[in-house]
């Protein structure tokens, strides 16, 4: 997928471990431009400043959680349609319904594997490679 | 980054989360019922579970899951975090810590403990049935229906704004002469977007014809950028007369245009502008030990913002190297200063004032580098909570451990070596210091015993105190035990303070039966030795019925030491200042011969053995007349006092410690070496060793020390 080289992805997670796991999978797929934030608040700043093409965010984070971040992102015109994939350890009915209502594009259950993450991204952006 | 590398990051992060977990649980225990602390606790366990899941650490996930379930109930308000619940949670955090360690070291997990705590947690969770429901809930979980998007659209509109420039750039020799470099210009171009570079080296002559200061290379650059031409030209603004430059706007970039061969690109793949590092907040090395150094001045109570202070992780080796270099710098600076003096330069001369500035800067660099190694004592103090819990359980005492000054910073090595003595002292305070709850109530004290652990800086040293509100030292008992063990004579007159200090003597143990707690066959003398090995001192103060306080004073660093420079038979020797109590010029009436070549010095009312350093180290065959030398009264880590006889005192100096054991085997009587201002090597005396050898062997030590001098 040639556009992967130009794709700018924002990875949001409060733990370094998850950020690295996600980004190493993205790099494997061929994504070159990966930026990071460690909570919703910081992520929102980055969304407004850099307009990433895709956001992959954790749910449980300090300051501003994934859902709050998603809501704020959707409320902001330029990012109202930016694809949003949420990672969550707690993927119960409640959260999934809330995520869907707020306009998430996918929810990937944590712990994820490289395969499950990749599949979750492909379900949104189409097959990669 | 490899999976192995990420796993290392995970474990590092686990440590942080576990300490976060414990401190928040303790805050909750202390009565702070805020949602933020509960959330932080939940998040810590949740994150550990998440990471562990990604690496397939099932045992860890299973336990973390159970823990998390309870925490979730507390968070939802279904379970009140009362004393029982918090106790179980603290226990669970201990088990979690163990499980993480097991996963890291690949050790086997003590399953029994895990199961017991799991059951305790489940018991809090109402019923087993509830747990079943919880799990069946997972089965009924609905899958999220992905909402696909077409990224091609998004991207191509974006890409449409990209312009392509073809740049041909041929530097002339002038460009280099003026201090510019083609590489920098190319890097700057890359900052505008994606570049593809081809270097044309056809004009490069053969080696025998090459003009070394010539310029022969031409670069063809294709730049994809959303900047306009003026931005591109701006980069070449200062070199435009020193090169042949042509910039032409190409077609705008079509989505997915084929790139230039990867090889060329790879050359330019500089990490500085590559994909951002996921660890950018604490960017770092993959393995090796890392230290985390926050800004030197940390507030007593870190605010929330202090927690997210920007930090970097650096390989410890680099810091060590820097410290070594600074050590060399200090020596070099001292050497220059001495040379200036020898040369008889005027104090007001430019060189001397320059040297003065150098000295100031060197000192500042030294302090700065030392500050990098400095770490707050918090992790060590936090570990003590667990020790206190376990010791409390073992002795059936109710304990409250209060810690103060956790942000006090000390050298990493000092911190590492502090854990054992501190653990021992804490156990000792719980085991021997505090009374049983019944006895406390009888004495009109609260049932709960308080132990206060504090750290603070005092005159360039760090002082750590551990104070209990127990019964104080039973001096009668201590005295009778000391007599029974043959440490003192039955009729020795001792001040209260001296009696207290007896508990630090080797072979002293007050416990009538050795409990498995602080006992373990070692006494507080081991603590004292460990602390004094670090260049520290231990003192004790006790008031009957009110409590006991043990104070440790430690140097901030182990890399430099305050030392007394002395002359010993044409050699310069350094005696650690911390060991010296006083120095004096012996009069002949103070010296008493007691045969076998041994001599005693009478100081006030006691006799102290005299050690002729030159003779003991084998610098000289026979000892000198004490009245011709200088006597240094030293106290060894064992608590024995002794007088070291040296020829003369040169002065007091800060010395950089260099280990000799790497080059020589252990040299008796010598702790390390240092380099003096004039470049000579001086040995640093190991006072404990000197005294021990003097006591055990009447003859002198026979090392080939001449090889060193």
């Amino acid at each position: 997928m040639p556009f992967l080289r130009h794709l700018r992805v924002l990875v949001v997670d409060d733990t370094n471990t998850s950020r690295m796991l996600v980004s190493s999978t993205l790099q494997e797929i061929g994504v070159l431009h990966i930026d990071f934030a460690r909570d919703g608040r910081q992520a929102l700043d980055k969304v407004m400043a850099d307009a990433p093409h895709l956001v992959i965010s954790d749910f449980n984070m300090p300051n501003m959680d994934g859902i709050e971040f998603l809501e704020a992102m959707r409320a902001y015109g330029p990012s109202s349609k930016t694809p949003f994939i949420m990672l969550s350890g707690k993927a119960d009915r409640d959260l999934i319904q809330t995520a869907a209502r707020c306009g998430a594009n996918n929810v990937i259950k944590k712990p994820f594997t490289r395969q499950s993450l990749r599949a979750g991204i492909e379900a949104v952006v189409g097959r990669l490679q | 980054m490899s999976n192995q590398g990420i796993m290392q990051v995970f474990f590092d992060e686990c440590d942080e989360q576990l300490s976060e977990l414990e401190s928040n649980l303790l805050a909750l225990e202390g009565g702070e019922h805020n949602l933020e602390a509960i959330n932080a606790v939940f998040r810590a366990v949740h994150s550990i579970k998440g990471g562990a899941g990604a690496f397939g650490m099932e045992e860890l996930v299973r336990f973390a899951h159970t823990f998390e379930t309870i925490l979730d109930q507390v968070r939802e308000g279904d379970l009140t975090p009362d004393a029982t619940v918090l106790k179980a949670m603290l226990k669970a955090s201990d088990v979690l810590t163990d499980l993480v360690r097991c996963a890291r070291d690949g050790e086997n997990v003590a399953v029994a403990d895990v199961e017991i705590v799991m059951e305790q947690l489940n018991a809090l969770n109402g019923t087993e049935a509830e747990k079943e429901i919880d799990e069946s809930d997972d089965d009924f979980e609905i899958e999220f229906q992905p909402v696909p998007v077409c990224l091609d659209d998004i991207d191509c509109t974006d890409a449409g704004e990209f312009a392509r420039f073809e740049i041909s750039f041929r530097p002339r020799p002038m460009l280099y002469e003026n201090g510019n470099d083609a590489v920098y210009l190319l890097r700057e171009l890359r900052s505008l977007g994606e570049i593809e570079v081809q270097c044309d080296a056809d004009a490069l002559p053969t080696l025998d014809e090459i003009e070394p200061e010539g310029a022969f290379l031409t670069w063809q650059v294709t730049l994809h950028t959303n900047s306009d031409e003026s931005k591109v030209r701006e980069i070449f603004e200062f070199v435009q007369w020193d090169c042949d430059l042509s910039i032409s706007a190409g077609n705008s970039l079509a989505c997915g245009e084929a790139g230039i061969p990867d090889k060329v690109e790879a050359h330019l793949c500089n990490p500085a502008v590559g994909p951002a590092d996921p660890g950018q907040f604490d960017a770092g090395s993959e393995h090796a030990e890392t230290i985390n150094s926050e800004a030197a001045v940390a507030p007593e109570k870190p605010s929330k913002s202090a927690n997210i202070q920007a930090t970097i992780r650096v390989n410890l080796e680099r810091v060590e190297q820097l410290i070594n270099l600074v050590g060399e710098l200090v020596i070099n600076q001292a050497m220059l200063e001495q040379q200036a003096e020898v040369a008889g330069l005027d104090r007001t001369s430019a060189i001397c004032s320059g040297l003065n500035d150098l000295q100031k800067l060197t000192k500042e660099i030294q302090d700065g580098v030392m500050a990098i190694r400095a770490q707050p004592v918090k992790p060590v103090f936090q570990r003590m909570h667990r020790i206190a819990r376990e010791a409390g359980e073992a002795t059936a005492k109710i304990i409250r451990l209060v810690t103060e000054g956790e942000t006090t910073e000390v050298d990493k090595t000092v911190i590492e070596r502090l854990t054992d003595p501190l653990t021992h002292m804490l156990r000792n305070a719980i085991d021997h210091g505090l009374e049983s709850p019944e006895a406390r109530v009888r004495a009109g004290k609260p049932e709960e015993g308080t132990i206060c652990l504090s750290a603070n800086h005092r005159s360039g040293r760090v002082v750590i105190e551990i104070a209990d509100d127990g019964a104080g030292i039973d001096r009668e008992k201590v005295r009778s035990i000391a007599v029974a063990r043959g440490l003192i004579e039955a009729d020795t007159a001792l001040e209260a303070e001296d009696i207290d200090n007896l508990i630090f003597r080797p072979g002293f143990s007050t416990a009538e039966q050795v409990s498995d707690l602080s006992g373990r066959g070692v006494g507080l003398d081991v603590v004292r030795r460990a602390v004094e090995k670090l260049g520290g001192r231990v003192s004790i103060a006790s008031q009957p019925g009110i409590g006991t306080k043990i104070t440790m004073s430690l140097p901030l660093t182990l890399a430099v030491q305050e030392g007394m420079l002395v002359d010993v038979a044409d050699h310069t020797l350094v005696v650690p200042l911390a060991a010296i109590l006083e120095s004096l010029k012996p009069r002949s009436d103070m010296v008493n011969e007691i045969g076998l070549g041994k001599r005693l010095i009478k100081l006030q009312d006691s006799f102290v053995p005299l050690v002729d350093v030159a003779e003991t180290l084998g610098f000289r065959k026979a000892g000198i007349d004490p009245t011709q030398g200088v006597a240094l009264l030293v106290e060894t880590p064992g608590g024995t006092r002794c007088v070291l006889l040296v020829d003369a005192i040169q002065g007091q100096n800060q010395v950089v410690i260099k280990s000799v054991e790497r080059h020589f085997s252990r040299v008796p009587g010598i702790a390390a070496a240092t380099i003096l201002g004039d470049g000579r090597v001086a040995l640093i005396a190991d006072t404990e060793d000197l005294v021990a050898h003097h006591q055990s062997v009447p003859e002198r030590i026979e090392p080939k020390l001449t090889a060193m001098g």
Side-chain angles (χ1 to χ4, degrees):
Chain A
M1 280 257 168
F3 74 82
L4 286 174
R5 290 183 52 211
H6 302 283
L7 191 70
R8 295 197 308 277
V9 184
L10 177 65
V11 176
V12 191
D13 200 304
D14 57 330
T15 71
N16 203 353
T17 313
S18 280
R19 291 198 297 268
M20 285 192 172
L21 283 167
V22 175
S23 76
S24 77
T25 306
L26 287 172
Q27 279 168 355
E28 238 175 41
I29 295 171
V31 176
L32 291 178
H33 305 286
I34 307 168
D35 200 0
F36 302 92
R38 63 170 159 202
D39 60 36
R41 211 169 284 170
Q42 199 179 32
L44 201 58
D45 288 345
K46 295 219 172 192
V47 165
M48 291 179 174
D50 309 329
H53 300 134
L54 172 67
V55 175
I56 300 178
S57 169
D58 186 27
F59 164 63
N60 195 335
M61 294 178 292
N63 297 328
M64 186 189 259
D65 71 24
I67 291 289
E68 291 165 337
F69 164 47
L70 173 60
E71 283 179 323
M73 208 177 110
R74 289 292 178 248
Y76 174 66
S79 65
S80 61
K81 296 219 156 44
T82 306
F84 183 99
I85 297 175
M86 192 155 76
L87 304 170
S88 177
K90 185 181 153 217
D92 57 17
R93 187 184 294 269
D94 261 7
L95 185 75
I96 284 185
Q97 282 170 348
T98 315
R101 199 182 59 239
C102 296
N105 292 73
N106 205 355
V107 175
I108 300 174
K109 199 165 159 40
K110 265 185 163 182
F112 55 83
T113 57
R114 285 173 196 265
Q115 288 77 21
S116 72
L117 180 64
R118 193 186 169 122
I121 297 172
E122 284 183 334
V124 175
V125 305
R127 264 195 70 68
L128 305 166
Q129 283 170 2
Chain B
M1 179 177 271
S2 69
N3 248 348
Q4 202 60 38
I6 301 178
M7 212 185 301
Q8 181 61 44
V9 171
F10 167 65
F11 284 127
D12 285 351
E13 215 162 40
C14 274
D15 286 344
E16 287 162 25
Q17 273 147 357
L18 286 167
S19 96
E20 183 83 351
L21 169 67
E22 184 164 24
S23 61
N24 278 304
L25 281 176
L26 290 169
L28 286 170
E29 200 182 32
E32 273 183 52
H33 278 255
N34 63 43
L35 196 63
E36 196 41 54
I38 294 171
N39 276 337
V41 166
F42 180 85
R43 217 162 23 240
V45 176
H46 183 78
S47 298
I48 292 173
K49 183 181 113 174
F55 296 113
M57 300 163 182
E58 282 163 27
E59 187 76 359
L60 195 50
V61 173
R62 202 166 66 93
F63 186 80
H65 181 76
T66 311
F67 196 177
E68 193 190 54
T69 313
I70 297 300
L71 288 168
D72 197 30
Q73 293 193 352
V74 174
R75 205 167 56 149
E76 300 294 333
D78 296 341
L79 190 67
T80 320
D82 57 13
T84 331
V85 172
L86 281 167
K87 195 161 174 263
M89 284 184 180
L90 280 165
K91 187 76 198 152
S93 96
D94 292 346
V95 171
L96 196 61
T97 310
D98 288 344
L99 283 170
V100 168
R101 201 186 54 235
C102 288
R104 178 197 322 234
D105 305 342
E107 284 171 21
N108 283 330
V109 185
V111 183
D113 223 21
V114 176
E115 295 303 330
I116 290 168
V117 177
M118 285 255 271
E119 262 166 45
Q120 282 173 357
L121 286 176
N122 280 328
L124 296 175
N125 186 10
T127 55
E128 282 289 310
E130 208 171 331
K131 193 178 150 230
E132 292 301 314
I133 294 165
D134 200 23
E135 260 161 27
S136 59
D137 208 28
D138 276 5
D139 293 336
F140 275 88
E141 191 180 285
I142 50 167
E143 286 292 323
F144 188 91
Q145 281 305 311
V147 183
V149 291
C150 181
L151 271 187
D152 292 355
D153 290 348
I154 299 169
D155 222 37
C156 285
T157 48
D158 247 5
E161 293 165 15
F162 274 66
R164 194 176 76 178
F165 295 97
E166 296 290 346
I167 301 155
S168 168
F169 169 51
R170 192 165 82 91
R172 299 191 200 123
M174 269 304 279
L175 184 136
Y176 297 104
E177 272 171 43
N178 289 342
N180 285 305
D181 196 327
V183 175
Y184 298 140
L185 296 163
L186 291 174
R187 281 190 193 152
E188 226 171 304
L189 269 182
R190 188 179 45 189
S191 70
L192 293 181
E194 277 189 47
I195 67 169
E196 287 146 13
V197 182
Q198 272 184 318
C199 179
D200 177 6
D202 286 351
L204 199 64
T206 52
L207 204 53
D208 50 339
E209 294 170 348
I210 199 163
E211 160 65 44
E213 293 185 352
F216 307 99
L217 301 177
T218 307
W219 281 276
Q220 303 293 340
V221 182
T222 310
L223 168 69
H224 299 146
T225 177
N226 47 10
S227 310
D228 54 20
E229 193 173 328
S230 65
K231 285 267 181 238
V232 181
R233 292 213 175 266
E234 214 170 82
I235 289 175
F236 294 96
E237 198 177 353
F238 293 104
V239 297
Q240 52 186 318
W241 298 284
D242 301 335
C243 66
D244 299 322
L245 180 71
S246 81
I247 298 174
S248 60
N251 309 328
S252 69
L253 174 71
C255 188
E257 182 165 357
I260 283 283
D262 281 344
K263 222 166 150 193
V264 181
E265 206 170 3
H267 275 296
L268 274 168
C269 191
N270 182 320
V273 201
D277 188 337
Q280 57 178 339
F281 308 112
D282 32 11
S285 60
E286 287 193 26
H287 5 253
E289 220 176 333
T290 54
I291 66 169
N292 216 336
S293 178
E294 304 202 350
V297 199
E300 188 68 13
K301 274 233 160 160
S303 60
K304 266 277 168 264
S305 68
N307 283 345
I308 48 170
Q309 230 161 21
T311 61
I312 58 160
R313 281 161 189 268
V314 281
N315 196 314
L316 193 60
E317 240 170 63
R318 290 195 200 171
V319 179
E320 300 283 1
Q321 204 181 359
L322 197 58
I323 286 174
N324 272 335
L325 282 173
V326 171
E328 302 289 333
L329 184 67
V330 171
I331 292 163
N332 214 289
Q333 178 265 328
M335 237 147 98
L336 277 174
E337 208 166 336
Q338 207 158 43
Q339 287 308 312
E341 212 165 289
V342 169
L345 291 177
D346 186 0
R347 286 221 166 266
T348 54
S349 67
I351 289 189
C352 280
S353 75
L355 280 174
N356 264 337
D357 292 345
L358 181 64
Q359 186 193 6
K360 241 179 273 165
L361 285 173
T362 312
K363 181 84 181 73
E364 273 171 38
I365 292 178
Q366 197 181 5
D367 291 348
V369 171
M370 293 303 170
I372 298 179
R373 275 189 65 97
Q375 286 190 299
V377 294
K378 191 175 175 189
V380 179
F381 273 24
Q382 231 162 25
R383 233 174 286 169
M384 294 304 134
H385 285 287
R386 177 172 184 177
I387 307 284
R389 275 200 294 279
E390 287 173 350
E393 251 167 59
T395 55
K397 290 177 185 173
I398 309 166
I399 297 143
R400 193 164 70 94
L401 180 66
V402 182
T403 52
E404 282 168 12
E406 292 184 320
T407 51
T408 308
E409 293 192 334
V410 197
D411 186 276
K412 185 175 160 59
T413 325
V414 177
I415 287 189
E416 277 165 2
R417 299 202 206 154
L418 198 62
T419 315
D420 284 347
L422 211 54
T423 307
H424 203 86
M425 276 163 53
L426 180 64
R427 286 199 177 126
N428 190 75
I430 292 167
D431 203 8
H432 306 305
L434 293 179
E435 317 90 323
S436 64
E438 305 82 51
R440 287 183 67 87
V441 172
R442 275 201 302 277
K445 293 183 187 177
E447 223 179 20
E448 186 183 59
T450 305
I451 294 180
C452 181
L453 184 61
S454 70
N456 60 64
H457 285 298
R458 222 176 278 165
S459 57
R461 290 172 79 82
V462 63
V463 176
I464 293 176
E465 287 179 346
I466 175 162
D468 64 60
D469 66 347
I473 292 176
D474 183 348
R475 300 206 171 105
E476 275 312 302
K477 195 167 151 196
V478 167
R479 194 189 163 91
S480 63
I481 289 170
V483 173
R485 302 275 150 91
L487 298 176
I488 53 167
E489 295 300 323
D491 54 355
T492 316
L494 286 174
E495 298 282 326
E497 197 185 317
D498 295 330
I499 298 176
D500 293 347
N501 272 305
L502 284 173
I503 67 167
F504 287 114
R505 293 280 286 271
F508 185 93
S509 182
T510 45
E512 271 144 13
Q513 60 186 119
V514 176
S515 67
D516 79 323
L517 195 54
S518 62
R520 301 200 180 162
V522 291
L524 282 174
D525 61 310
V526 177
V527 170
R528 181 182 212 141
R529 184 154 315 183
V531 171
E532 291 186 2
K533 272 259 157 68
L534 286 169
R537 287 177 162 278
V538 186
S539 63
I540 188 165
S542 180
Q543 274 183 288
I546 292 174
T548 307
K549 180 161 81 181
I550 298 180
T551 308
M552 294 193 281
S553 135
L554 295 157
L556 290 177
T557 170
L558 298 180
V560 287
Q561 198 175 36
E562 283 290 328
M564 182 84 90
L565 268 55
V566 296
D567 280 335
V568 175
D570 300 332
H571 293 265
T572 300
L573 200 68
V574 181
V575 182
L577 208 59
I580 302 176
L581 298 178
E582 61 177 282
S583 55
L584 58 142
K585 195 95 183 145
R587 296 184 311 271
S588 56
D589 62 318
M590 293 163 78
V591 185
N592 297 272
E593 302 267 349
I594 54 164
L596 285 169
K598 287 198 175 183
R599 287 170 291 187
L600 295 178
I601 287 237
K602 193 176 179 197
L603 288 172
Q604 282 127 26
D605 285 329
S606 59
F607 287 95
V608 183
L610 182 91
V611 179
D612 188 309
V613 178
E615 192 191 12
T616 312
L617 290 177
F619 291 167
R620 215 167 13 217
K621 283 267 183 283
I624 56 161
D625 178 1
T627 55
Q628 298 302 305
V630 177
L632 304 174
L633 177 64
V634 295
E635 193 177 47
T636 67
T640 24
R641 288 179 171 201
C642 191
V643 164
L644 298 181
L645 185 64
V646 298
D647 298 1
I649 290 178
Q650 289 181 12
Q652 190 182 319
N653 217 336
Q654 214 180 42
V655 295
V656 180
I657 299 166
K658 303 261 171 199
S659 170
V660 287
E661 283 170 42
R662 245 175 69 199
H663 307 286
F664 297 83
S665 57
R666 165 140 182 74
V667 187
I670 298 301
T674 189
I675 303 170
L676 299 175
D678 56 8
R680 282 183 301 141
V681 173
L683 298 169
I684 302 174
D686 183 337
T687 49
E688 186 186 10
D689 217 30
L690 277 176
V691 174
H693 270 274
H694 181 81
Q695 283 175 336
S696 57
V697 211
E699 317 89 74
R700 58 179 181 269
I701 311 165
E702 295 280 4
K704 295 285 167 264
L705 271 172
T706 34
M708 286 294 307

